[in-house]
Amino acid sequence: MPEPSSFTISAAHAVSPTGVGPLTVTVTNGTIATVTSAETPDADIRVDPGDVLLPGGVDTHVHLNEPGRTEWEGFASGTAAAAAGGVTTVLDMPLNSIPSTTSPEALATKRSAAAGKLSVDLGYWGGAVPQNLGHLEQLWDEGVFGFKCFTLPSGVDEFEPLDAGQLHRAMTEIASFHGLLIVHAEDEKTIEAAPARHSRAYADFLNSRPAEAELRAIELVIATMRETGCRTHLLHLSSARGLELVAAARAEGLPLSVETCPHYLCLSAETIPDGAPEFKCCPPIRDAGNQEALWQGLLDGLIDIVVTDHSPSTRARKFAGDGDLQLAWGGIAGVQVGYTAMLDAATRRGIGLERVARWMSQGPAELMSVPNKGGLVVGHDADLAIWSPRTPLTVDAAALRHRNPISAWHGYQSIGSITDVWLRGNHLDGTKPIGHELFRS
């Protein structure tokens, strides 16, 4: 293939912001120079007529955990997994690394740890915790894309949640410099009141994280937005019951956006076996009826984007308690599979692939101010992927590239797979640490 960054690629089926159709893209020095709505017979690369040319995925919710918990995941392994799954841009969460990204000094430590290890382009979230309130603008000025907070314990001691008063302080501060707050919204008191018996049964775990916990926390977030005007994003919505609150907030004109995850859209509680902590995440995977309502929320535009919340751990931590779901680490390793799973699910549902690209590439890039990413558009980086619906895939956790070979996606059968990926015009094979750090546009 032409290397590394100047060529033409032509496809009978390509996903652009306006739909799926023939396209020829000219790449010059890693940037998309021209886009023409026609095939070109003499293009350097001719995509097979049965395959689809896509923009590279933009996953704005990934836990890479380095430094401090690199045995869980790291920059090299996590970004290699992203590249293999057609994801060319990721934003790294401020936990579960040690230190958490809650100060300029911690951000500098992150940057140093990432140097020379990135297979894809990467940016950083900051964290909003009780200890750094009043100092968030310093971290914003260093280039983070926004600030993550929890409304209940995060699962790691060094990243503490915000109570209602602290949430108000954080949102007031962030609004003052026109920043963005992203929120893990579950209500601690509701979960404390729920039954939480030690058990291998998935139904027992599900009962311990009721939908009401999401609803109460979302209500708090919206009420605080109303008072502060802070631009706010709800992370990993799992309960479709929250969509009524979202719709009402938007009708008021509040600047609220929402994401969900492939595991909520493609997996359901009814099919999860007992004693299988690889499926544990918080908030949890709920029932099939809820899944259908989430899909409808996506199609109706109430859910803006789909991201993976890639959050792996060691086998010892994931299987703590011999399958006791109250003791196991809660997180799903999905950065390599999420784009494929959504392309597969959309194809099966008769949903146009341009919608998937909007949810998993263009939308995240626009919503989170990631520059020059998210579409086959002149001036954007030449981040490309080929989806082959003629190349079936059965996911094998042992073959995934994240650090610990554990995944809820093991055994998932997709009608197609990602076969080729380019980052800024460079064809990726998993061996090139050519990723750049990104800063807000």
Side-chain angles (χ1 to χ4, degrees):
M1 286 185 178
E3 289 284 359
S5 59
S6 296
F7 56 89
T8 55
I9 183 168
S10 186
H13 305 286
V15 174
S16 72
T18 58
V20 179
L23 218 62
T24 296
V25 175
T26 301
V27 176
T28 303
N29 296 325
T31 300
I32 296 176
T34 66
V35 178
T36 305
S37 299
E39 289 188 86
T40 300
D42 59 353
D44 295 311
I45 302 171
R46 295 291 306 280
V47 176
D48 189 283
D51 296 344
V52 182
L53 180 65
L54 298 159
V58 178
D59 193 339
T60 55
H61 195 151
V62 174
H63 294 265
L64 295 176
N65 303 338
E66 187 173 359
R69 290 191 174 92
T70 311
E71 70 276 13
W72 292 22
E73 182 64 291
F75 288 113
S77 53
T79 61
V87 174
T88 48
T89 302
V90 298
L91 296 188
D92 179 46
M93 283 290 163
L95 72 163
N96 304 300
S97 57
I98 303 172
S100 300
T101 315
T102 55
S103 69
E105 294 77 16
L107 178 59
T109 299
K110 274 268 193 183
R111 286 171 166 155
S112 178
K117 297 178 183 177
L118 304 177
S119 292
V120 302
D121 289 349
L122 176 142
Y124 297 102
W125 292 107
V129 295
Q131 295 83 355
N132 71 349
L133 298 184
H135 304 281
L136 297 176
E137 191 168 7
Q138 298 172 20
L139 196 50
W140 179 254
D141 289 343
E142 289 295 322
V144 298
F145 281 76
F147 302 89
K148 180 176 186 177
C149 75
F150 281 75
T151 58
L152 80 173
S154 69
V156 293
D157 293 339
E158 65 276 1
F159 199 95
E160 296 181 15
L162 303 181
D163 63 24
Q166 292 163 342
L167 180 67
H168 194 283
R169 284 181 59 196
M171 294 176 82
T172 299
E173 182 179 357
I174 293 167
S176 73
F177 54 81
H178 308 291
L180 171 66
L181 183 69
I182 63 175
V183 185
H184 180 127
E186 288 181 283
D187 179 64
E188 182 177 8
K189 291 183 179 179
T190 302
I191 289 176
E192 287 176 346
R197 71 188 192 92
H198 288 277
S199 168
R200 291 169 54 88
Y202 186 78
D204 288 338
F205 169 65
L206 189 57
N207 288 336
S208 75
R209 311 290 294 213
E212 285 74 17
E214 285 190 85
L215 302 184
R216 300 293 81 76
I218 292 170
E219 287 173 342
L220 172 64
V221 168
I222 290 171
T224 312
M225 287 182 69
R226 190 177 292 120
E227 296 171 358
T228 65
C230 183
R231 186 164 59 100
T232 306
H233 178 75
L234 294 176
L235 298 167
H236 46 49
L237 182 74
S238 83
S239 172
R241 290 171 58 190
L243 293 174
E244 184 175 347
L245 296 172
V246 171
R250 288 186 178 168
E252 287 185 52
L254 296 179
L256 180 66
S257 56
V258 183
E259 72 184 36
T260 193
C261 304
H263 45 269
Y264 300 133
L265 296 164
C266 302
L267 307 175
S268 63
E270 293 89 342
T271 63
I272 295 176
D274 293 338
E278 58 267 37
F279 291 91
K280 178 183 175 180
C281 58
C282 298
I285 297 168
R286 303 191 188 276
D287 62 83
N290 178 79
Q291 180 187 100
E292 291 302 315
L294 288 176
W295 275 101
Q296 192 60 52
L298 264 177
L299 295 170
D300 291 343
L302 291 174
I303 300 173
D304 301 278
I305 62 174
V306 180
V307 293
T308 65
D309 189 11
H310 176 74
S311 186
S313 71
T314 61
R315 176 168 289 275
R317 190 69 187 85
K318 192 63 173 166
F319 287 87
D322 189 30
D324 183 334
L325 297 178
Q326 292 300 326
L327 298 178
W329 174 256
I332 286 180
V335 72
Q336 187 171 336
V337 183
Y339 207 2
T340 292
M342 286 296 294
L343 291 164
D344 173 73
T347 299
R348 294 177 188 273
R349 289 171 174 266
I351 297 170
L353 298 187
E354 71 276 7
R355 304 292 292 270
V356 180
R358 172 73 195 180
W359 297 328
M360 302 193 75
S361 185
Q362 180 185 354
E366 291 178 351
L367 196 61
M368 306 308 181
S369 300
V370 183
N372 302 319
K373 302 292 185 181
L376 305 183
V377 176
V378 172
H380 280 203
D381 292 342
D383 297 346
L384 317 171
I386 293 177
W387 158 257
S388 176
R390 306 169 300 105
T391 307
L393 173 69
T394 299
V395 177
D396 178 2
L400 299 177
R401 296 187 181 181
H402 65 269
R403 176 145 294 163
N404 292 281
I406 307 162
S407 178
W409 295 103
H410 179 70
Y412 185 87
Q413 295 182 327
S414 169
I415 61 174
S417 56
I418 300 287
T419 58
D420 290 279
V421 184
W422 291 262
L423 174 67
R424 286 176 280 101
N426 294 275
H427 190 256
L428 297 182
D429 61 7
T431 65
K432 298 175 182 176
I434 60 170
H436 291 176
E437 182 179 350
L438 298 172
F439 298 87
R440 300 185 312 274
S441 58

